Amino acid sequence: MRVLVTGANGHLGCNVVRELLQRGYDLVALVRPGADLRGIDSLGLAKSSLVRGDILDPTCVADAAAGCAAILHLAAPYRTRGSDRDILAPAIEGTRNVMRAAVQHQIARVVATSSVAAIGYLQAGALSIGDSRARPRTEANWNLDPRMPYFRAKVEAEREAWRMAKMLGVALVVLCPGGILGRHDYRTTPTTHYLGLLASGTGFSAPGGMNLVDVRDVAWAHVTAIETGPPGARYAIGGEDLSYRSFATRIAEATGVAARHVPLPRAVLLPFLRIHEIVDNVRGREPYETYLEAYETLGRHAYLDSGLATRVLGYRPRPALEAIHDGLRWLAFRGELPTPIAARVSARLPPDPDWTP
C-alpha cells in the first residue's frame, strides 16, 4: 500500500515514516521546500518518495496523493507563539486541500492528526470536591474556549475535516494525541522545550497537569488507524496523566536538578504573567511564558482517557517515565542541555547507536 504522509519531516512525522517503513509500506513524504530533513535523511527514501511542496498549494497536494491508498495528514504548525495567519491558515487550508485530494483520487482512508488542544483542558474549578486530580477527558469532549492561535487552529482544522468528510464522503479517522515527547525532535517542539527548561533548572512547575505520550506510540497509532481504525471515529491518544509538579519531579530524578514549583493559583498567576509579558515586550525580551500560553494551561488538566483506542486499535502506550527518559536522552544527545547535566543524563540514559546528529 502506498501512503502519503504530509509533514513527514516533523517530530511526529519522521517517527510515523519510520513506523510505515518498519511495516513494509510504500510512501510519499510531502515536505515544504527548504524543509529541515534531518529526521528522515538517514532512512534511505527514494527520490521519488520525497516531494517538496506547500500544503497550501492544492495542486501540489493532489499530485502528491496520486496513486496513494491512504493519507496520513500531519502537516500543521506546532508553535505556541505566532499570528493567526502563520498558524491558523496552514492548519485549516492544508486540511481542506488534503480532503479535496482524497476525493479527487478516491483515497480509501484519511487519518488526520489533531491534538488534546482540540479536546480541551479541564479547569481546576470543575473538579469534584475533595478530588485531587481531574477526571480524564475523552474524544467525546471538545475545547469550547480556545484562545491561543495554536489551540484555535487545532479546533477549527479538525472541525473543518469532519465537515468536509461528511460533505464529500471521505473515510476520516482523527487522532488527538497528548503531549508528545521522544526521539528525532530536531526542531524542538514546545513540549520538548518545556522538558529542556525543567531539565536545566530554568523552568518552573505550577498547578495543573498534562498527559504525556511517547512519540513512538503516537506513530504506532497512526499507522494502525490506517489498517484497523473504523472511519468516522475520533481517538484520544494519550499516555500517562501527570501534574506539572510530578512531571518536574521525575525529570529531576534523572538530572539531579530540581525545578522550582510555584504553588500560586491560576487567578493570581494569570495577571502576574500578563504584566510580566508587557514588561518583557517593552524591554525587547522574549517572555518566558505568554499570557495566552498560561491561559490555556495553568491550573488546568489535560488528562486523557485512551480507552477507546485501547479497545478498538489495541493501543498500549509506554509509561510516562519512559517517554520522559527518551526525551532527555534526545536532548542530551543533541547538546541542548547544559554540559554537566547532559553528561549526567548520557551516563545514565545513553543515546541509541543509530541516532544521527
Side-chain angles (χ1 to χ4, degrees):
M1 180 190 292
R2 190 169 176 84
V3 178
L4 170 63
V5 184
T6 71
N9 61 308
H11 183 207
L12 177 57
C14 68
N15 281 279
V16 165
V17 168
R18 284 170 168 79
E19 183 71 23
L20 286 166
L21 293 175
Q22 185 176 333
R23 298 200 202 182
Y25 281 87
D26 185 19
L27 65 93
V28 176
L30 179 61
V31 300
R32 296 185 317 277
D36 182 346
L37 300 182
R38 287 174 292 175
I40 56 177
D41 259 344
S42 64
L43 300 181
L45 294 178
K47 287 186 178 180
S48 59
S49 296
L50 185 64
V51 176
R52 295 181 182 269
D54 193 335
I55 193 71
L56 294 176
D57 181 347
T59 301
C60 169
V61 177
D63 289 347
C68 292
I71 300 176
L72 287 171
H73 177 43
L74 286 71
Y78 181 19
R79 298 199 303 273
T80 57
R81 300 180 188 184
S83 67
D84 286 1
R85 179 179 178 180
D86 293 336
I87 297 177
L88 268 77
I92 298 169
E93 194 58 38
T95 295
R96 290 176 179 143
N97 289 336
V98 164
M99 300 300 280
R100 292 170 184 139
V103 172
Q104 180 177 336
H105 295 293
Q106 298 182 324
I107 288 174
R109 181 72 53 89
V110 174
V111 177
T113 309
S114 187
S115 168
V116 64
I119 288 177
Y121 291 19
L122 188 66
Q123 296 188 46
L127 300 182
S128 302
I129 295 174
D131 193 356
S132 61
R133 80 180 196 97
R135 282 174 293 184
R137 307 271 282 177
T138 74
E139 46 281 303
N141 298 117
W142 280 89
N143 187 342
L144 302 179
D145 182 34
R147 303 284 184 93
M148 192 166 62
Y150 172 73
F151 278 59
R152 289 167 51 212
K154 283 303 181 185
V155 172
E156 293 179 29
E158 188 187 340
R159 287 197 181 278
E160 182 65 3
W162 286 118
R163 185 191 71 82
M164 293 190 71
K166 182 178 181 179
M167 179 178 69
L168 301 175
V170 175
L172 176 67
V173 178
V174 172
L175 305 186
C176 298
I180 299 175
L181 287 177
R183 55 191 62 192
H184 308 305
D185 186 1
Y186 284 93
R187 293 176 294 160
T188 310
T189 66
T191 310
T192 300
H193 178 67
Y194 184 46
L195 173 69
L197 289 175
L198 293 174
S200 62
T202 58
F204 67 88
S205 62
M210 62 196 302
N211 182 283
L212 289 173
V213 59
D214 193 293
V215 68
R216 291 167 291 182
D217 294 326
V218 182
W220 181 94
H222 276 73
V223 180
T224 302
I226 295 175
E227 300 171 348
T228 61
R234 185 188 197 216
Y235 298 97
I237 304 297
E240 187 176 342
D241 297 330
L242 289 177
S243 69
Y244 295 128
R245 189 170 195 175
S246 295
F247 180 41
T249 298
R250 296 193 185 194
I251 295 167
E253 290 168 354
T255 63
V257 179
R260 295 165 294 161
H261 180 69
V262 181
L264 298 175
R266 175 181 173 87
V268 174
L269 281 173
L270 287 182
F272 173 78
L273 286 168
R274 184 190 284 276
I275 294 169
H276 230 277
E277 181 181 2
I278 293 171
V279 172
D280 284 339
N281 288 334
V282 169
R283 293 179 176 177
R285 299 186 310 205
E286 185 75 13
Y288 170 81
E289 185 164 27
T290 67
Y291 173 79
L292 281 180
E293 289 168 337
Y295 181 89
E296 300 287 8
T297 60
L298 289 185
R300 291 177 166 179
H301 299 78
Y303 294 162
L304 287 178
D305 179 350
S306 301
L308 182 63
T310 296
R311 294 190 297 274
V312 177
L313 304 178
Y315 177 65
R316 297 287 188 279
R318 294 168 173 82
L321 188 60
E322 191 169 340
I324 292 169
H325 283 177
D326 208 54
L328 289 172
R329 295 168 68 210
W330 181 254
L331 287 173
F333 171 73
R334 295 274 300 133
E336 295 183 18
L337 296 175
T339 302
I341 299 173
R344 198 176 304 134
V345 169
S346 294
R348 180 179 175 186
L349 305 167
D352 280 10
D354 62 342
W355 285 359
T356 55

